[in-house]
Amino acid sequence: MITKKTYGGEMLLLSRLYRAGILVVLFSVSTRVCGGDFQTVLIGFTGPLSGISEMYGKSTANGAELAIEEANRTAFKIDGKRVVFRLVRMDDRGDPERAQQVAKLLVQAGVVGVIGSSNSTTTIAAAKVYAAAGIAQISPAATSRKYPELGYRSTFRTVGGDDEAAPYLADYVVHDLHANRIAVITNGSIFGAGIAAQFASVAKSNGATIVFYETVPLMEGNFDSLLKRIKEQDIDVIFFSGYSAQSSVIAQGMLRLDVKARLVTSMMGIVGQSFFVSAGTAGNGVFAQEPGLPFSKMPGWKKFEADYTQRFGLNMYGLTPFSYDATQVLIAAVRQANSLNTGRIVETLHQIRHRGLTGLISFDAKGNLKHPSFTIYEAQNQKWMALKSHTLR
């Protein structure tokens, strides 16, 4: 679990991971520890660090890294030894089988907890591995109701769920956007299929007509033929539940093909400057629902944004702050438990009340975030404008 001063154990782990074909990055801590005895404590991160969601995955990893760097500036000891946290980034490529592989390797590495994964499908796939090892898994992105319903005491999430978000968004689309005819597209992932079904059900109960409902291949990258068919149906709103990179492709296709419908997305982390880098002016007019309050209303947002931009540049997504908070709350649990025993850390997380960047973080018995918030945004002139927020009580 602990590596003392030397990183020989980490180099052995790195060699094993390369042989297994897993991309992993072991980051050195930026804070130097001068004198005295210290111990390196590993925190795992797993997400898509390559492939279609690479930039999104790296952004959430960067959020975790920033939290660790901040924590290491404050001296903290367990059993008389200074604790220095270190992040192990692993690439699951958004693939559930690979997520299980990297979960087993992180357990072997002796991490005290894991941040990830970056979507519901991979998070759920790996949860059994972490639960069997008694290691806390805190997801900044798993919004599917299936995740907490697994029943593992080690599962947590710092975002609200689809079943809480979908009714709020569907009500907004029907009553505020006055959408009568809606097309629903999902990429068929656990997240995508789940929230698409819930959104469609609530929209129909509010009086809208679901004219078009289609599941596309998980990694689909060309939506032109689909958009041409939608264009012929006199659609008011296209609701898409899939990857953030796919949203950019759809937005560009709608502009190119002169599709007049509005594009609405939910809970996929597209809110951020990175969306406009990929979508360009086609992003203007897109609506997105994200977890949490508007950035400007998050306590400490200006400092976080400045620190993140200085350290990593502009690649920030809407879920990056939730990865930062997931890491912060894990570290807070280690400190509050005053232990590196993973079982004690898990139990402490069930009791913790941590004031993070995104608000107060505490969990119910299933690891759900208590009192989650959601905000609906519109892209206007290459900026995301918060339109409406809601907090569940």
Side-chain angles (χ1 to χ4, degrees):
M1 181 179 299
I2 302 167
T3 305
K4 180 180 176 183
K5 285 197 174 182
T6 175
Y7 301 124
E10 292 176 9
M11 293 306 295
L12 177 61
L13 168 66
L14 185 59
S15 175
R16 290 174 179 170
L17 296 176
Y18 275 128
R19 288 199 301 270
I22 304 295
L23 173 63
V24 59
V25 184
L26 290 165
F27 276 78
S28 298
V29 296
S30 60
T31 304
R32 293 184 177 274
V33 182
C34 300
D37 207 6
F38 70 94
Q39 52 193 335
T40 300
V41 177
L42 302 180
I43 292 176
F45 172 90
T46 174
L49 302 180
S50 62
I52 190 171
S53 298
E54 175 180 354
M55 299 308 293
Y56 161 63
K58 287 181 176 178
S59 179
T60 50
N62 290 343
E65 186 72 41
L66 192 62
I68 284 178
E69 290 178 356
E70 291 178 2
N72 284 332
R73 297 188 190 111
T74 303
F76 170 65
K77 293 183 178 181
I78 292 179
D79 296 331
K81 298 178 183 178
R82 168 75 185 274
V83 169
V84 178
F85 295 99
R86 197 174 191 191
L87 188 69
V88 183
R89 302 186 183 205
M90 284 194 174
D91 181 16
D92 62 28
R93 295 184 184 173
D95 177 73
E97 291 187 9
R98 197 175 183 87
Q100 292 177 340
Q101 292 177 32
V102 299
K104 292 174 183 177
L105 291 167
L106 285 171
V107 170
Q108 293 173 15
V111 297
V112 296
V114 175
I115 310 304
S117 180
S118 298
N119 64 54
S120 294
T121 303
T122 48
T123 300
I124 291 170
K128 184 177 181 179
V129 177
Y130 299 124
I135 293 174
Q137 176 191 23
I138 310 177
S139 176
T143 60
S144 171
R145 64 166 58 180
K146 293 183 179 180
Y147 177 52
E149 294 299 330
L150 292 171
Y152 300 138
R153 192 158 178 80
S154 56
T155 60
F156 304 88
R157 60 182 178 188
T158 54
V159 292
D162 298 342
D163 50 337
E164 299 162 321
Y168 177 59
L169 180 62
D171 182 78
Y172 180 86
V173 167
V174 174
H175 295 112
D176 291 60
L177 296 184
H178 308 291
N180 295 314
R181 296 171 60 80
I182 299 174
V184 175
I185 308 172
T186 172
N187 70 353
S189 63
I190 291 177
F191 151 74
I195 197 167
Q198 292 175 69
F199 173 88
S201 176
V202 176
K204 285 172 64 177
S205 68
N206 283 341
T209 300
I210 307 301
V211 179
F212 192 95
Y213 196 120
E214 185 152 335
T215 300
V216 299
L218 189 64
M219 305 301 287
E220 181 64 62
N222 189 321
F223 297 87
D224 282 6
S225 62
L226 188 61
L227 291 173
K228 288 176 182 177
R229 283 190 283 140
I230 290 175
K231 183 178 179 180
E232 297 172 354
Q233 298 293 322
D234 190 26
I235 298 296
D236 299 315
V237 161
I238 298 173
F239 175 73
F240 175 67
S241 57
Y243 297 133
S244 56
Q246 292 175 310
S247 295
S248 300
V249 175
I250 291 176
Q252 291 171 327
M254 290 175 66
L255 178 63
R256 184 174 60 255
L257 299 172
D258 194 29
V259 178
K260 299 301 184 184
R262 290 168 164 173
L263 177 60
V264 176
T265 70
S266 181
M267 312 287 284
M268 59 181 68
I270 76 168
V271 172
Q273 197 60 35
S274 297
F275 175 72
F276 299 114
V277 173
S278 57
T281 57
N284 290 328
V286 173
F287 290 81
Q289 178 181 239
E290 295 285 2
L293 297 172
F295 294 150
S296 61
K297 293 185 179 180
M298 289 183 180
W301 169 256
K302 288 185 178 180
K303 182 179 185 304
F304 172 79
E305 183 181 34
D307 290 347
Y308 183 96
T309 302
Q310 181 179 19
R311 179 73 169 80
F312 301 108
L314 294 175
N315 174 34
M316 188 192 300
Y317 283 74
L319 292 178
T320 303
F322 297 90
S323 179
Y324 171 85
D325 269 359
T327 312
Q328 276 209 330
V329 77
L330 176 60
I331 292 171
V334 171
R335 288 176 167 170
Q336 188 170 312
N338 194 34
S339 173
L340 298 178
N341 179 281
T342 56
R344 291 183 186 177
I345 295 170
V346 167
E347 293 308 311
T348 302
L349 283 167
H350 278 284
Q351 306 299 323
I352 205 162
R353 288 174 60 86
H354 174 74
R355 293 201 172 275
L357 172 65
T358 60
L360 179 64
I361 300 174
S362 61
F363 305 103
D364 67 14
K366 293 183 178 181
N368 289 304
L369 180 69
K370 293 181 180 178
H371 313 304
S373 298
F374 305 95
T375 299
I376 296 172
Y377 298 83
E378 182 182 7
Q380 301 174 2
N381 298 319
Q382 304 290 279
K383 292 183 179 180
W384 288 104
M385 305 299 294
L387 302 178
K388 195 173 184 179
S389 296
H390 175 65
T391 301
L392 276 69
R393 298 298 180 187

